[in-house]
Amino acid sequence: MAKKYSSKFVFVLAAILLASCAGIPQAPSAQAANGPFVTEIIVRTVENFKKHADVVAFMKNAAKRHVSVINLNVKEDEDDTVPSGYVFYDSEIAPIAQGYAQFDALADVIAEAHSRDIQVRAWIPQFHDKAAFDHNASWRMMALKNGQVVPFTGSNNNEYFVNPIHPDVQAYERSIIREIVSNYDIDGVVLDWLRFDDYNMDMSDYTRQAYNAAYGYDPVTIDFTTDNAQRTQWNDWRTTQIANYVRDVEADIESIVPDLFTGVYILPPEFVEVGQDVEKFKNYVDFISPMAYFADWDFQPSWVYNSTGVLAQTKAKIGTKEIIPGLDVWWSNAQYHEIYAGIRNQLPEIQNLSFFLYGKWTDNDLKKIDNRRSW
């Protein structure tokens, strides 16, 4: 979503003056290549915030350790402690996670973070959603497996996904985004799980009929095991559907809170099989946050920053759009030294680093990140 500051100069000036009086957190001041990186953290609600006291303790540590942005999981992203798709705020649309009906974690985090000049973005996973999967069987992501069309339930058969192409699925997910943007004083939105898992999906009746109408053949007839013209055509169509969805979400957000800072978590662009081409939706967002978890995919640390690695791949796709790398918290000091130096040398425009921890954050985790800001 492109900013429109020039046409709104008077309004923005007034807003800045008002914010300075009201204590509303402003965007972190830019830190150039040789200055400290701006710290963002990605926080799973169910692991960190059960009650108000958890939020207060967390925010005290976050402020002490110079955290500028919290990307808060407002809708469960995995199928473990809480089913995916259940939410941690007062929703009239999505089912509320157990233990959160009387505790609006989103509202509480916003209040405590803003009082300490920390921004809060709503991290809103999309199509990994058991709540939606259970709601309507026709919404389920279907995959071609051993010649049969079956629901896709992940590698461990315990994950639940819905079809990103189905219009009713899209309407449901968009309604949740609109609800959050309308009712909460968030500083931004970051979308997640905007993809498929491999070439062989979605194979639901709706998708097969839509594709057959467009190209004259059923996608179940495609050979997904080899690189061929039909598979390329199929993937191009899928990536366009995802891009059109991001376009529609951007329009929704813009109609409610113009210029709200919005981005997407993406897998490395080289993972083309997931049907996610950031080049097609770059114009509908302000930033892209590529997952640079080199060790998860058996890469070397240099893959993060070198000329063929994940950040270079992303930049080639999105041009001058802002990149906020997503990094792990458990790498060695030597690996962090190498990656930070590589980013400063190869991509000096990068100012923010975003850190993901799957479980519970501790003050020691934040302290380690804080100690590295000027590396």
Side-chain angles (χ1 to χ4, degrees), residues 168-276:
D168 293 343
V169 170
Q170 293 189 358
Y172 172 74
E173 301 295 349
R174 287 170 61 188
S175 72
I176 293 172
I177 298 169
R178 290 195 301 269
E179 180 179 55
I180 293 166
V181 173
S182 297
N183 296 333
Y184 291 88
D185 184 24
I186 53 175
D187 301 290
V189 166
V190 57
L191 305 176
D192 194 9
W193 289 101
L194 281 170
R195 60 179 180 83
F196 307 86
D197 200 68
D198 208 338
Y199 288 117
N200 63 334
M201 60 192 78
D202 171 75
M203 291 292 157
S204 69
D205 289 344
Y206 176 85
T207 301
R208 290 168 64 185
Q209 291 168 9
Y211 190 80
N212 194 21
Y215 294 102
Y217 63 94
D218 190 330
V220 297
T221 64
I222 299 172
D223 177 8
F224 294 115
T225 64
T226 64
D227 185 6
N228 59 76
Q230 285 192 333
R231 193 180 75 170
T232 298
Q233 185 176 55
W234 163 249
N235 209 38
D236 180 68
W237 183 77
R238 294 193 309 164
T239 56
T240 298
Q241 307 312 305
I242 295 291
N244 289 345
Y245 177 75
V246 179
R247 176 200 63 200
D248 294 342
V249 169
E250 187 271 345
D252 289 343
I253 294 173
E254 186 72 9
S255 71
I256 301 166
V257 181
D259 298 332
L260 186 65
F261 197 60
T262 301
V264 177
Y265 293 130
I266 65 165
L267 284 175
E270 64 190 273
F271 295 179
V272 296
E273 68 273 13
V274 301
Q276 181 185 69

Side-chain angles (χ1 to χ4, degrees), residues 145-161:
K145 185 176 181 180
N146 298 322
Q148 301 295 317
V149 174
V150 296
F152 176 68
T153 52
S155 58
N156 61 1
N157 293 318
N158 192 34
E159 297 179 284
Y160 302 92
F161 299 83

Side-chain angles (χ1 to χ4, degrees), residues 313-339:
Q313 293 172 31
T314 303
K315 184 175 180 178
K317 289 277 188 179
I318 69 173
T320 59
K321 288 286 181 178
E322 183 172 1
I323 297 175
I324 303 177
L327 308 178
D328 265 322
V329 299
W330 54 267
W331 302 332
S332 71
N333 280 343
Q335 290 170 330
Y336 284 117
H337 269 296
E338 177 184 348
I339 290 167

